[in-house]
Structures are given as structure tokens and as C-alpha cells.
Amino acid sequence: MSLQLKVCGMRDADNILQVAALRPAYMGFIFYGKSPRFVGESFVLPAGFPAEIKKVGVFVNASAETMLATAARVGLDALQLHGHESVEVCRQVKAAGLEVIKVFSVDDDFDFASTEPYREVADYFLFDTKGKLYGGNAQTFDWSVLRRYDQQVPFFLSGGLTPANVAGAVALDGVNLYALDVNSGVETAPGKKDLGLLQELKNNSRL
Ligand SMILES: O=C(O)c1ccccc1NCC(=O)[C@H](O)[C@H](O)COP(=O)(O)O
């Protein structure tokens, strides 16, 4: 399986369709009211959104009921759980037929054993940089810690990816890397992706 790309934190209809034309495998929409990229309560996808791009709802400590209602209304394919969601919440999401991407905030001392309870209920893990915010911290972590991860669940790598550093992420070998997740590193303002930066990131990563 070749490395996949997820573009996260999309919001505006025109920008969504422009980025969709570059065909990332996943696009993420943030349903967390305290994020500067919050899509709002009545978000809908613009007409013409390509069916082959997986639509990911990003949530922080929301109830399974709330998330599943949003997923059904918007037509989401996957949920990215960015808070302290329990294994049971992940199980309910998976049982509803959605992909589960469980997020872990990583620093030098991160203990990958904390992911183990989630391995039966997560399709993917997402390793993001531990920072002040739940997500969108625009900082990388030391990717060499990923060598300590030896489980079967494939992961998204996230946190501070930019056109300048993405080649280093692609070059990580011997780790169970499934996809790269980009956000603020290709923005001109929160939620607004720059097509030139995104194309540069794609060129530099050959994604
Ligand atoms: O981006 C946000 O504002 C955000 C807020 C709360 C939870 C998650 C959020 N983003 C989710 C993502 O998947 C980001 O792509 C990820 O955190 C990396 O962001 P960045 O460091 O800006 O590339």
C-alpha cells in the first residue's frame, strides 16, 4: 500500500473543492467549537465533492451519539478522535460502520503501550505532536520515537508537516506508516489551504 495523504482542517466550500481536485485520499473537517477551524453546526459538503475522497470528522471528547448523528447528517466515512475518548466510544463508532482514527499526542516520553487497549477498535492510530492545543499545534515531534511502535495498527503521522520537512517523513522506513496528515503547514489562515503550498508538499513527498 502506498503512502496516503490527508488534508485536515478544511472549511470553505470553494477551498474544499480546489483541494479536492488534488485528490488527497482523506479530507478532515473539524467539529470542535474551540478550534479556529471549526466548521460550524450546520456544515454540509459542497456539491460535487468527489466520492473517492474519504471524509473525516474530527472530534474532541464528544459523545458517540453526537458524533454518529453528525456523521449521518454530513455523510462522513471516518471519525478522528482527538481527545480522551474511551475504548467503548471507539467501539460504538466502529460498530456503526465508520472508520476509527484514534489520536495520540506524542512527546519524547510517549509510551506506546497506551495505544494497546485501542488496537481492536481503531482502524488507524494518528500520532500528533503533544502541545497546548488538542490539535493544530504546528509543531513536529521527534519522529525517531516511532521506532518504538511495533504494533499492527497502521498510523497517520501528523504535527507540523510542511513542504520543507515532508521528505523526511516520507523517508521514515521500517515503521507502520500509512498516511501523512497536513494542516497548518499548508495554510494562509486557519482553515484556508494554499494550493501552491499543497502542490509543493505533494511534489516534495511524491504523494
Ligand atoms: O487543527 C485544529 O485546529 C484542531 C483542533 C482540535 C483538534 C484537532 C485539530 N486538528 C486535527 C488535525 O488532524 C491536524 O491536522 C493535526 O493536529 C496537525 O496539525 P498541524 O500541526 O497544524 O499540522
mmCIF file of all heavy atoms in Angstrom, residues 6 8 30 32 35-37 58 60 80 82 126 128 134-139 158-161 181-185, ligand 1:
data_model
loop_
_atom_site.group_PDB
_atom_site.id
_atom_site.type_symbol
_atom_site.label_atom_id
_atom_site.label_comp_id
_atom_site.label_asym_id
_atom_site.label_seq_id
_atom_site.Cartn_x
_atom_site.Cartn_y
_atom_site.Cartn_z
ATOM 1 N N LYS A 6 -3.720 12.933 3.880
ATOM 2 C CA LYS A 6 -4.945 13.515 4.440
ATOM 3 C C LYS A 6 -4.704 15.012 4.600
ATOM 4 O O LYS A 6 -3.688 15.431 5.165
ATOM 5 C CB LYS A 6 -5.273 12.891 5.798
ATOM 6 C CG LYS A 6 -6.369 13.617 6.565
ATOM 7 C CD LYS A 6 -6.804 12.849 7.805
ATOM 8 C CE LYS A 6 -7.682 13.706 8.681
ATOM 9 N NZ LYS A 6 -6.921 14.575 9.599
ATOM 10 N N CYS A 8 -6.272 18.156 6.476
ATOM 11 C CA CYS A 8 -7.198 18.358 7.590
ATOM 12 C C CYS A 8 -7.505 19.840 7.794
ATOM 13 O O CYS A 8 -6.752 20.719 7.372
ATOM 14 C CB CYS A 8 -6.598 17.784 8.866
ATOM 15 S SG CYS A 8 -7.841 17.509 10.141
ATOM 16 N N ILE A 30 -13.277 19.795 11.035
ATOM 17 C CA ILE A 30 -13.173 19.851 12.496
ATOM 18 C C ILE A 30 -14.490 20.282 13.141
ATOM 19 O O ILE A 30 -14.986 21.396 12.910
ATOM 20 C CB ILE A 30 -11.995 20.753 12.891
ATOM 21 C CG1 ILE A 30 -10.717 20.072 12.366
ATOM 22 C CG2 ILE A 30 -11.935 20.952 14.407
ATOM 23 C CD1 ILE A 30 -9.456 20.813 12.588
ATOM 24 N N TYR A 32 -15.123 20.781 16.386
ATOM 25 C CA TYR A 32 -14.726 21.115 17.763
ATOM 26 C C TYR A 32 -14.797 22.627 17.881
ATOM 27 O O TYR A 32 -14.041 23.358 17.226
ATOM 28 C CB TYR A 32 -13.308 20.599 18.030
ATOM 29 C CG TYR A 32 -12.736 20.990 19.364
ATOM 30 C CD1 TYR A 32 -13.384 20.659 20.557
ATOM 31 C CD2 TYR A 32 -11.523 21.682 19.442
ATOM 32 C CE1 TYR A 32 -12.847 21.022 21.782
ATOM 33 C CE2 TYR A 32 -10.973 22.034 20.668
ATOM 34 C CZ TYR A 32 -11.646 21.706 21.832
ATOM 35 O OH TYR A 32 -11.118 22.064 23.052
ATOM 36 N N SER A 35 -11.832 25.164 18.120
ATOM 37 C CA SER A 35 -10.793 25.233 17.078
ATOM 38 C C SER A 35 -11.042 26.429 16.160
ATOM 39 O O SER A 35 -12.186 26.710 15.795
ATOM 40 C CB SER A 35 -10.806 23.957 16.226
ATOM 41 O OG SER A 35 -10.022 24.158 15.060
ATOM 42 N N PRO A 36 -9.968 27.107 15.731
ATOM 43 C CA PRO A 36 -10.150 28.179 14.730
ATOM 44 C C PRO A 36 -10.581 27.622 13.372
ATOM 45 O O PRO A 36 -10.913 28.394 12.472
ATOM 46 C CB PRO A 36 -8.762 28.821 14.648
ATOM 47 C CG PRO A 36 -7.811 27.777 15.138
ATOM 48 C CD PRO A 36 -8.560 26.952 16.138
ATOM 49 N N ARG A 37 -10.586 26.303 13.267
ATOM 50 C CA ARG A 37 -11.003 25.657 12.003
ATOM 51 C C ARG A 37 -12.377 24.989 12.131
ATOM 52 O O ARG A 37 -12.761 24.212 11.250
ATOM 53 C CB ARG A 37 -9.944 24.625 11.579
ATOM 54 C CG ARG A 37 -8.572 25.232 11.408
ATOM 55 C CD ARG A 37 -7.492 24.218 11.122
ATOM 56 N NE ARG A 37 -6.232 24.918 11.035
ATOM 57 C CZ ARG A 37 -5.429 25.189 12.078
ATOM 58 N NH1 ARG A 37 -5.771 24.777 13.289
ATOM 59 N NH2 ARG A 37 -4.317 25.856 11.917
ATOM 60 N N VAL A 58 -13.470 15.334 12.631
ATOM 61 C CA VAL A 58 -12.524 15.415 13.753
ATOM 62 C C VAL A 58 -13.285 15.922 14.979
ATOM 63 O O VAL A 58 -13.903 16.998 14.940
ATOM 64 C CB VAL A 58 -11.365 16.369 13.416
ATOM 65 C CG1 VAL A 58 -10.397 16.485 14.596
ATOM 66 C CG2 VAL A 58 -10.623 15.879 12.167
ATOM 67 N N VAL A 60 -13.407 16.202 19.529
ATOM 68 C CA VAL A 60 -12.665 16.186 20.801
ATOM 69 C C VAL A 60 -13.667 15.924 21.922
ATOM 70 O O VAL A 60 -14.518 16.772 22.228
ATOM 71 C CB VAL A 60 -11.935 17.522 21.057
ATOM 72 C CG1 VAL A 60 -11.212 17.493 22.403
ATOM 73 C CG2 VAL A 60 -10.947 17.839 19.938
ATOM 74 N N GLN A 80 -12.139 10.939 13.493
ATOM 75 C CA GLN A 80 -10.810 11.101 14.101
ATOM 76 C C GLN A 80 -11.030 11.618 15.504
ATOM 77 O O GLN A 80 -11.555 12.728 15.688
ATOM 78 C CB GLN A 80 -10.004 12.082 13.244
ATOM 79 C CG GLN A 80 -8.601 12.328 13.731
ATOM 80 C CD GLN A 80 -7.832 13.194 12.745
ATOM 81 O OE1 GLN A 80 -7.955 13.024 11.539
ATOM 82 N NE2 GLN A 80 -7.061 14.132 13.244
ATOM 83 N N HIS A 82 -9.824 12.992 18.855
ATOM 84 C CA HIS A 82 -8.648 13.768 19.245
ATOM 85 C C HIS A 82 -8.550 14.045 20.725
ATOM 86 O O HIS A 82 -7.652 14.771 21.164
ATOM 87 C CB HIS A 82 -8.660 15.116 18.500
ATOM 88 C CG HIS A 82 -7.533 15.289 17.556
ATOM 89 N ND1 HIS A 82 -6.283 15.727 17.935
ATOM 90 C CD2 HIS A 82 -7.458 15.053 16.235
ATOM 91 C CE1 HIS A 82 -5.494 15.775 16.887
ATOM 92 N NE2 HIS A 82 -6.180 15.388 15.842
ATOM 93 N N LEU A 126 -3.386 7.846 14.948
ATOM 94 C CA LEU A 126 -2.794 9.068 14.406
ATOM 95 C C LEU A 126 -1.883 9.626 15.490
ATOM 96 O O LEU A 126 -2.342 9.894 16.606
ATOM 97 C CB LEU A 126 -3.868 10.069 13.991
ATOM 98 C CG LEU A 126 -3.372 11.343 13.282
ATOM 99 C CD1 LEU A 126 -4.426 11.865 12.295
ATOM 100 C CD2 LEU A 126 -3.020 12.453 14.277
ATOM 101 N N ASP A 128 0.180 12.595 16.700
ATOM 102 C CA ASP A 128 0.275 14.043 16.539
ATOM 103 C C ASP A 128 1.212 14.574 17.631
ATOM 104 O O ASP A 128 1.456 13.911 18.642
ATOM 105 C CB ASP A 128 -1.127 14.649 16.695
ATOM 106 C CG ASP A 128 -1.224 16.085 16.209
ATOM 107 O OD1 ASP A 128 -0.231 16.626 15.684
ATOM 108 O OD2 ASP A 128 -2.325 16.672 16.356
ATOM 109 N N TYR A 134 -5.401 20.703 21.470
ATOM 110 C CA TYR A 134 -5.714 19.310 21.137
ATOM 111 C C TYR A 134 -5.166 18.925 19.766
ATOM 112 O O TYR A 134 -4.833 17.772 19.515
ATOM 113 C CB TYR A 134 -7.226 19.086 21.168
ATOM 114 C CG TYR A 134 -7.773 18.860 22.549
ATOM 115 C CD1 TYR A 134 -8.527 19.840 23.185
ATOM 116 C CD2 TYR A 134 -7.540 17.667 23.216
ATOM 117 C CE1 TYR A 134 -9.046 19.624 24.452
ATOM 118 C CE2 TYR A 134 -8.047 17.440 24.484
ATOM 119 C CZ TYR A 134 -8.805 18.418 25.096
ATOM 120 O OH TYR A 134 -9.304 18.192 26.359
ATOM 121 N N GLY A 135 -5.091 19.886 18.866
ATOM 122 C CA GLY A 135 -4.575 19.626 17.526
ATOM 123 C C GLY A 135 -4.238 20.941 16.859
ATOM 124 O O GLY A 135 -4.568 22.017 17.371
ATOM 125 N N GLY A 136 -3.550 20.868 15.735
ATOM 126 C CA GLY A 136 -3.191 22.081 15.014
ATOM 127 C C GLY A 136 -2.123 22.891 15.719
ATOM 128 O O GLY A 136 -2.117 24.120 15.657
ATOM 129 N N ASN A 137 -1.183 22.220 16.380
ATOM 130 C CA ASN A 137 -0.120 22.927 17.112
ATOM 131 C C ASN A 137 1.010 23.421 16.212
ATOM 132 O O ASN A 137 1.877 24.173 16.668
ATOM 133 C CB ASN A 137 0.465 22.018 18.200
ATOM 134 C CG ASN A 137 -0.441 21.929 19.420
ATOM 135 O OD1 ASN A 137 -0.570 22.884 20.173
ATOM 136 N ND2 ASN A 137 -1.102 20.789 19.584
ATOM 137 N N ALA A 138 1.045 22.954 14.973
ATOM 138 C CA ALA A 138 2.075 23.392 14.012
ATOM 139 C C ALA A 138 3.492 23.079 14.473
ATOM 140 O O ALA A 138 4.414 23.840 14.203
ATOM 141 C CB ALA A 138 1.926 24.892 13.701
ATOM 142 N N GLN A 139 3.617 21.975 15.176
ATOM 143 C CA GLN A 139 4.943 21.560 15.655
ATOM 144 C C GLN A 139 5.153 20.083 15.359
ATOM 145 O O GLN A 139 4.215 19.281 15.508
ATOM 146 C CB GLN A 139 5.049 21.745 17.175
ATOM 147 C CG GLN A 139 5.136 23.195 17.594
ATOM 148 C CD GLN A 139 4.944 23.371 19.093
ATOM 149 O OE1 GLN A 139 4.689 22.421 19.823
ATOM 150 N NE2 GLN A 139 5.063 24.598 19.547
ATOM 151 N N SER A 158 1.318 13.025 11.941
ATOM 152 C CA SER A 158 0.769 14.368 11.917
ATOM 153 C C SER A 158 1.598 15.287 12.801
ATOM 154 O O SER A 158 2.433 14.844 13.576
ATOM 155 C CB SER A 158 -0.679 14.301 12.422
ATOM 156 O OG SER A 158 -1.309 15.530 12.269
ATOM 157 N N GLY A 159 1.336 16.589 12.660
ATOM 158 C CA GLY A 159 2.000 17.571 13.505
ATOM 159 C C GLY A 159 3.097 18.320 12.785
ATOM 160 O O GLY A 159 4.203 17.815 12.596
ATOM 161 N N GLY A 160 2.755 19.527 12.363
ATOM 162 C CA GLY A 160 3.780 20.420 11.825
ATOM 163 C C GLY A 160 4.369 20.026 10.489
ATOM 164 O O GLY A 160 5.457 20.505 10.136
ATOM 165 N N LEU A 161 3.667 19.189 9.734
ATOM 166 C CA LEU A 161 4.211 18.815 8.409
ATOM 167 C C LEU A 161 4.108 19.995 7.448
ATOM 168 O O LEU A 161 3.080 20.690 7.387
ATOM 169 C CB LEU A 161 3.460 17.606 7.845
ATOM 170 C CG LEU A 161 3.761 16.279 8.550
ATOM 171 C CD1 LEU A 161 2.802 15.190 8.069
ATOM 172 C CD2 LEU A 161 5.210 15.859 8.319
ATOM 173 N N ASP A 181 -0.692 13.458 7.496
ATOM 174 C CA ASP A 181 -1.815 14.351 7.766
ATOM 175 C C ASP A 181 -1.282 15.781 7.828
ATOM 176 O O ASP A 181 -0.436 16.087 8.669
ATOM 177 C CB ASP A 181 -2.452 13.948 9.104
ATOM 178 C CG ASP A 181 -3.512 14.923 9.558
ATOM 179 O OD1 ASP A 181 -4.447 15.168 8.792
ATOM 180 O OD2 ASP A 181 -3.405 15.431 10.686
ATOM 181 N N VAL A 182 -1.746 16.638 6.941
ATOM 182 C CA VAL A 182 -1.227 18.013 6.901
ATOM 183 C C VAL A 182 -2.339 19.003 7.209
ATOM 184 O O VAL A 182 -3.509 18.781 6.894
ATOM 185 C CB VAL A 182 -0.592 18.361 5.535
ATOM 186 C CG1 VAL A 182 0.543 17.408 5.228
ATOM 187 C CG2 VAL A 182 -1.600 18.391 4.414
ATOM 188 N N ASN A 183 -1.929 20.119 7.800
ATOM 189 C CA ASN A 183 -2.930 21.098 8.218
ATOM 190 C C ASN A 183 -2.326 22.501 8.153
ATOM 191 O O ASN A 183 -2.263 23.109 7.067
ATOM 192 C CB ASN A 183 -3.417 20.724 9.629
ATOM 193 C CG ASN A 183 -4.516 21.592 10.158
ATOM 194 O OD1 ASN A 183 -5.103 22.379 9.428
ATOM 195 N ND2 ASN A 183 -4.820 21.482 11.424
ATOM 196 N N SER A 184 -1.834 23.016 9.269
ATOM 197 C CA SER A 184 -1.393 24.418 9.284
ATOM 198 C C SER A 184 -0.187 24.673 8.386
ATOM 199 O O SER A 184 0.016 25.815 7.954
ATOM 200 C CB SER A 184 -1.079 24.865 10.718
ATOM 201 O OG SER A 184 -0.107 24.026 11.291
ATOM 202 N N GLY A 185 0.569 23.646 8.086
ATOM 203 C CA GLY A 185 1.770 23.812 7.249
ATOM 204 C C GLY A 185 1.481 24.140 5.801
ATOM 205 O O GLY A 185 2.401 24.468 5.045
HETATM 206 O O1 LIG B 1 -6.498 21.855 13.672
HETATM 207 C C1 LIG B 1 -7.156 22.118 14.674
HETATM 208 O O2 LIG B 1 -7.496 23.280 14.928
HETATM 209 C C2 LIG B 1 -7.569 21.026 15.606
HETATM 210 C C3 LIG B 1 -8.157 21.371 16.804
HETATM 211 C C4 LIG B 1 -8.581 20.406 17.677
HETATM 212 C C5 LIG B 1 -8.395 19.076 17.386
HETATM 213 C C6 LIG B 1 -7.803 18.706 16.188
HETATM 214 C C7 LIG B 1 -7.360 19.662 15.299
HETATM 215 N N1 LIG B 1 -6.701 19.301 14.127
HETATM 216 C C8 LIG B 1 -6.608 17.942 13.736
HETATM 217 C C9 LIG B 1 -5.579 17.500 12.789
HETATM 218 O O3 LIG B 1 -5.680 16.385 12.270
HETATM 219 C C10 LIG B 1 -4.362 18.288 12.468
HETATM 220 O O4 LIG B 1 -4.064 18.034 11.124
HETATM 221 C C11 LIG B 1 -3.203 17.851 13.356
HETATM 222 O O5 LIG B 1 -3.461 18.211 14.681
HETATM 223 C C12 LIG B 1 -1.874 18.507 12.912
HETATM 224 O O6 LIG B 1 -1.986 19.886 12.808
HETATM 225 P P1 LIG B 1 -0.721 20.761 12.380
HETATM 226 O O7 LIG B 1 0.324 20.612 13.431
HETATM 227 O O8 LIG B 1 -1.249 22.132 12.263
HETATM 228 O O9 LIG B 1 -0.249 20.224 11.064
#
